[in-house]
Amino acid sequence: MTGARRLDGKVVAAAIRTSLPPRVQAFTAAAGRPPGLGIVLAGHDGGSETYVRNKMVACESLGVNAVLERLPDEASVDAVLALVDRFNRAESVDGILVQSPLPSGMGRDAEKRVFDAIHPDKDVDGFTPINAGRLTQNRPGIAPGTPSGVIELLDRAGIPIEGQRAVVIGRSDIVGKPMAMLLLHRHATVTICHSRTVDLPAVAATADILVAAVGRAGFVTRDFVKPGATVIDVGTTWLRDRDEVIALFGPESPRLDVLARRGHTVVGDVHPEVAEVAGALTPVPGGVGPLTITMLLSNTLRAAELRRAT
Ligand code: GUN
């Protein structure tokens, strides 16, 4: 990365994590058991496997008891709902996470039905309509981890939000919409862009803070970016094709070694050339990603503490 200041998510995540162990210990001593997180992973999506494994490792290292329930690709929505119901009732489970995406065979409404079924007090992803509504109205609740992590990253980097123009590209329930709400509650002037936005690069280039959450490798090129803007890259696309990697990063890129070793390289929505224009930029990997899991841990702990307090 040249030019732009690099916003290192690993450093910020590590700083946040240092505050968690005393809370885990206090909870465990008071409750007589560790905080518990129930995870449902349906199907065999490569990315989801990695994310869930990383979440399990993070829980274990913190002393949070993560329980993983796996279902095959051909499982029914009812099978997922049955596991959610069991976790909802389990006294030792404080948080529930159903990894998205669910297998496509479950149908278009599967995720909505499943997220609707999670008890809002255990909804550590902040995906239920109750928590989405609380976030929209700026009431106490649990906000999704990825956009919460972005706010942490901006705050700890000393990047002002209030009064700034923020543009969010992407309108998903998981990132785009909650991101826009969190920025709005911090008094940014927020625009949400999407696939039907007319002259997207020009709208994006009005941003002091540009958040890209589209899921298309290298989509945000330099013409999207006002010189000096802060650019937050939420994309995590797995590239497996050598020619695509060369097209984005050039033939000398160390990415090619990663590709040769692992069979894929994780790339963001932001084109590498943006580093020459942006004032600050999150790398992929190592930017927003590490914060997502840290915020999940923080949400799980908060859910556990709130359940004991009520
Ligand atoms: N898939 C991609 N990101 C997430 C996330 O934050 N939570 C869940 N449950 N699934 C995801």
Side-chain angles (χ1 to χ4, degrees), residues 32-307:
R33 63 164 180 85
L37 175 65
I39 302 178
V40 180
L41 174 57
H44 285 95
D45 176 77
S48 292
E49 297 271 350
T50 306
Y51 296 137
V52 166
R53 191 167 52 244
N54 290 343
K55 288 170 186 177
M56 301 279 297
V57 168
C59 283
E60 275 155 32
S61 70
L62 187 64
V64 170
N65 184 34
V67 179
L68 173 62
E69 291 288 353
R70 302 196 62 132
L71 289 169
D73 275 298
E74 60 283 2
S76 64
V77 185
D78 285 343
V80 182
L81 289 170
L83 286 173
V84 168
D85 183 54
R86 209 182 82 206
F87 284 147
N88 275 340
R89 292 166 194 271
E91 190 45 45
S92 61
V93 171
D94 301 292
I96 301 172
L97 182 156
V98 178
Q99 186 64 26
S100 167
L102 290 170
S104 54
M106 287 189 186
R108 282 186 60 211
D109 283 344
E111 279 190 9
K112 275 207 166 64
R113 287 180 63 198
V114 167
F115 292 143
D116 282 0
I118 295 172
H119 192 292
D121 294 347
K122 295 190 177 187
D123 170 28
V124 288
D125 266 325
F127 292 169
T128 60
I130 297 280
N131 278 318
R134 287 173 178 152
L135 175 60
T136 299
Q137 297 190 347
N138 202 12
R139 300 185 196 213
I142 296 181
T146 300
S148 303
V150 171
I151 298 290
E152 286 283 345
L153 199 54
L154 292 171
D155 281 346
R156 288 175 190 246
I159 292 167
I161 302 175
E162 183 173 336
Q164 301 295 291
R165 282 186 187 275
V167 173
V168 180
I169 311 179
R171 55 177 157 178
S172 71
D173 292 337
I174 294 182
V175 181
K177 284 182 212 161
M179 185 76 256
M181 285 301 144
L182 289 171
L183 289 163
L184 180 65
H185 299 328
R186 293 292 299 275
H187 313 294
T189 301
V190 184
T191 303
I192 305 179
C193 296
H194 46 78
S195 52
R196 314 265 170 96
T197 298
V198 174
D199 204 357
L200 178 54
V203 180
T206 64
D208 303 303
I209 299 170
L210 178 62
V211 182
V214 209
R216 288 173 64 182
F219 177 76
V220 173
T221 45
R222 64 186 308 148
D223 50 324
F224 285 62
V225 179
K226 179 165 79 175
T230 296
V231 180
I232 305 291
D233 191 348
V234 183
T236 51
T237 301
W238 286 31
L239 282 193
R240 295 185 171 85
D241 185 274
R242 196 179 144 82
D243 291 339
E244 283 183 64
V245 176
I246 291 174
L248 264 182
F249 298 99
E252 306 293 327
S253 171
R255 294 268 183 173
L256 292 167
D257 300 332
V258 176
L259 182 69
R261 255 185 294 123
R262 298 202 186 143
H264 72 271
T265 177
V266 182
V267 306
D269 290 344
V270 177
H271 196 285
E273 69 186 18
V274 167
E276 293 155 27
V277 208
L281 177 58
T282 58
V284 175
V288 175
L291 281 157
T292 298
I293 293 184
T294 300
M295 298 316 287
L296 169 74
L297 294 172
S298 168
N299 282 350
T300 302
L301 205 44
R302 180 141 168 267
E305 290 164 347
L306 288 173
R307 282 185 71 232

